Amino acid sequence: MTSMIKWLVLPMFLVSVVCGMPAATKAEESLNLNVDAAILIDAETGKILYEENSETALGIASMTKMMTEYLLFEAIEEGKVKWDQQYNVTEYTYKISQDRRLSNVPLREDGSYSIQELYEAMAIYSANAATIAIAETIAGTEDNFIKLMNEKAAEMGLEGYKFVNSSGLNNGDLQGMHPASTNASDENVMPAKSVAILAYYLMKDFPEVLETTKIPKKTFRKGTSDAIEMSNWNWMLPGLIYEYEGVDGLKTGTTEFAGHSFTATAQKNGMRVISVVMKAVDADGNGSYKARFDATRALLDYGFSQFSKEEIVPAGYKIPKHETLEVEKGKEDTVAIAVKDPISMVIKTNEKELYKPVFTENKEKLEADIKKDTVVGKVHLEKSEGTDYGYIIDQAAETEVVTTEAVERASWFSLMFQGIGKFFGNLWNSTTDFIGGLF
């Protein structure tokens, strides 16, 4: 039996060597997380540091609200909505707000609330009726709003998503008032990778969101008879039960369908990461708040202990075997080239030597006059061995390669002699090729 196993394994090994496939696979590196899916990325570049079943669509519950937040910030930026704009409570938002089984700040039936306070209730307390109120403000109805959500998801390049409401609740919790274009039991779904992309764009385009998501507690309508204490559901914030250094966001999510999920972000040692865990359970297979924070802690510990931001290619780096490029019609036959800007990347601390710069030259031939800092190609990094998950978006660690000097155009007299020399050189090569062919 042992010899048979060896003969089965050997061809697989040979294929990996011949084809240049990495010996390590995603399955070989596991953090043993008790989750249905997980992903960890560098928040600056979108480089994937760890992933586990990240492309399977799962319930996202209130992590949905990151899309509602994005569309609100966008509407504010475009002048369509203002922070001090008043929202008048509808029958829909009033009835949902009175359901204390759900996360809510109670709204008065005849009440008026600013977009600012509704946003804070959504971002800090995951208030569902407040979220629907924002959706109605932006699009008129929640049905119209989910069209915007799905359109923005497509624009961001998300995959495997389906938005059926603005809050992340199961439609069954919306008392029969769910968007007409959806089914009564529908719930928002998305793969962990797409959740990470959403979080990436939210923080990249509107970093001010962290000013609110980092607030552990705040009083809604402070100083009024409607005052209610809002405690952040992100219990990893400083001062809360599962606090973790550097955590300042981003969004929890919990429904029976989605389980206990969490999109976190933390910054430490000059590096910010985004993590997503979906349907976390404990050792007994039971979902809990603790389970999602334990899984998140494991991801963050892994990211900050195993990775660091390193400068791999410095500015001015001369590429081996590509220190110069040929130049046509110039006073010089070649021009010196080098990397314009440095390439820095978050990598495992012991893998810096595995990343090598690869030069890709522009297709156009260089012809004088050539000025200094003319772009002649690009350098990108490739890993020589081991697992590299790539990026959540279509990009790579690369920088431009430029000329480090100028090359003037040769005079007509010099060009004439260059032409004569090239003619006789080509003639000589053709003659020797012909003679060589005879023998």
Side-chain angles (χ1 to χ4, degrees):
M1 179 64 72
T2 303
S3 60
M4 184 180 295
I5 293 172
K6 287 182 179 179
W7 282 109
L8 288 171
V9 173
L10 183 58
M12 295 170 61
F13 171 76
L14 291 175
V15 168
S16 69
V17 172
V18 172
C19 297
M21 294 166 56
T25 65
K26 294 180 182 180
E28 288 176 4
E29 184 177 46
S30 175
L31 300 182
N32 296 315
L33 303 175
N34 291 322
V35 298
D36 277 8
I39 192 169
L40 178 72
I41 67 168
D42 169 35
E44 182 179 353
T45 65
K47 180 176 174 61
I48 301 172
L49 311 182
Y50 179 85
E51 62 180 344
E52 183 177 322
N53 195 33
S54 68
E55 297 183 358
T56 299
L58 300 168
I60 56 174
S62 281
M63 295 192 297
T64 296
K65 293 181 175 74
M66 291 189 291
M67 178 61 84
T68 303
E69 289 167 353
Y70 188 98
L71 291 172
L72 173 60
F73 278 113
E74 190 173 63
I76 295 286
E77 186 177 65
E78 294 172 354
K80 297 176 180 178
V81 176
K82 296 181 179 179
W83 288 116
D84 60 358
Q85 182 173 328
Q86 294 295 303
Y87 167 81
N88 294 319
V89 175
T90 63
E91 180 185 10
Y92 181 19
T93 52
Y94 170 70
K95 287 184 175 179
I96 298 301
S97 77
Q98 302 306 305
D99 188 345
R100 297 314 304 274
R101 295 174 305 127
L102 311 175
S103 185
N104 270 313
V105 289
L107 304 176
R108 288 186 176 271
E109 192 170 10
D110 58 349
S112 178
Y113 300 83
S114 74
I115 295 301
Q116 177 73 44
E117 59 187 340
L118 292 172
Y119 159 68
E120 290 177 351
M122 171 177 65
I124 298 170
Y125 197 48
S126 199
N128 291 292
T131 303
I132 298 167
I134 289 171
E136 291 180 340
T137 300
I138 294 172
T141 66
E142 189 177 30
D143 213 352
N144 289 336
F145 188 76
I146 62 174
K147 294 175 185 175
L148 299 180
M149 298 174 83
N150 286 304
E151 287 171 4
K152 183 57 65 175
E155 184 182 317
M156 289 178 174
L158 308 189
E159 296 182 355
Y161 61 88
K162 182 182 179 183
F163 288 107
V164 297
N165 61 56
S166 61
S167 64
L169 291 172
N170 184 291
N171 273 357
D173 290 321
L174 298 179
Q175 302 179 31
M177 296 178 287
H178 59 274
S181 62
T182 66
N183 295 321
S185 60
D186 279 351
E187 189 160 336
N188 299 329
V189 298
M190 197 187 298
K193 188 173 183 179
S194 290
V195 176
I197 296 173
L198 172 58
Y200 169 84
Y201 278 118
L202 175 60
M203 291 171 53
K204 177 176 178 288
D205 295 344
F206 304 109
E208 59 268 33
V209 69
L210 297 178
E211 294 302 311
T212 307
T213 61
K214 71 180 182 182
I215 298 173
K217 290 183 180 180
K218 188 165 186 175
T219 303
F220 182 76
R221 296 235 136 176
K222 188 175 183 179
T224 73
S225 58
D226 294 336
I228 180 174
E229 188 77 10
M230 299 187 298
S231 295
N232 203 313
W233 291 102
N234 175 4
W235 296 349
M236 298 187 82
L237 290 173
L240 301 186
I241 186 171
Y242 298 116
E243 69 174 292
Y244 188 98
E245 181 185 352
V247 167
D248 50 6
L250 196 54
K251 194 68 200 74
T252 58
T254 313
T255 63
E256 184 177 350
F257 172 67
H260 292 75
S261 304
F262 182 33
T263 300
T265 183
Q267 187 169 20
K268 193 187 295 187
N269 304 324
M271 183 176 77
R272 178 178 285 280
V273 298
I274 297 169
S275 67
V276 179
V277 297
M278 302 182 74
K279 211 160 191 179
V281 297
D282 59 23
D284 296 324
N286 299 314
S288 67
Y289 299 126
K290 183 178 185 300
R292 72 178 171 202
F293 296 128
D294 284 347
T296 298
R297 181 179 298 275
L299 270 178
L300 296 180
D301 282 347
Y302 173 74
F304 289 124
S305 66
Q306 297 297 314
F307 292 84
S308 61
K309 188 174 182 179
E310 300 280 349
E311 183 181 276
I312 301 176
V313 176
Y317 175 77
K318 294 188 178 296
I319 309 146
K321 299 181 180 180
H322 296 285
E323 290 87 353
T324 62
L325 288 180
E326 291 185 1
V327 176
E328 293 185 352
K329 300 181 181 180
K331 287 185 177 181
E332 306 293 337
D333 295 332
T334 62
V335 62
I337 63 172
V339 168
K340 181 181 180 181
D341 299 312
I343 300 179
S344 295
M345 187 167 64
V346 172
I347 61 171
K348 278 194 172 181
T349 51
N350 61 347
E351 292 187 344
K352 184 174 181 179
E353 300 305 317
L354 298 180
Y355 288 88
K356 303 297 180 185
V358 177
F359 174 56
T360 303
E361 183 181 351
N362 289 347
K363 293 181 180 179
E364 302 82 10
K365 291 185 177 180
L366 285 177
E367 183 177 312
D369 283 335
I370 297 172
K371 300 188 183 307
K372 184 181 178 182
D373 292 327
T374 297
V375 177
V376 296
K378 291 184 177 181
V379 156
H380 71 275
L381 296 177
E382 289 185 359
K383 194 177 182 185
S384 59
E385 62 182 79
T387 303
D388 193 335
Y389 298 123
Y391 293 78
I392 57 168
I393 54 177
D394 187 18
Q395 69 175 41
E398 63 180 24
T399 187
E400 293 178 334
V401 177
V402 297
T403 56
T404 59
E405 57 190 4
V407 176
E408 295 180 6
R409 190 175 182 86
S411 66
W412 69 268
F413 190 72
S414 297
L415 290 175
M416 179 182 69
F417 277 99
Q418 285 182 18
I420 293 171
K422 186 176 292 186
F423 170 77
F424 282 107
N426 292 337
L427 181 63
W428 172 256
N429 290 336
S430 298
T431 303
T432 54
D433 288 344
F434 173 73
I435 293 171
L438 294 176
F439 296 96

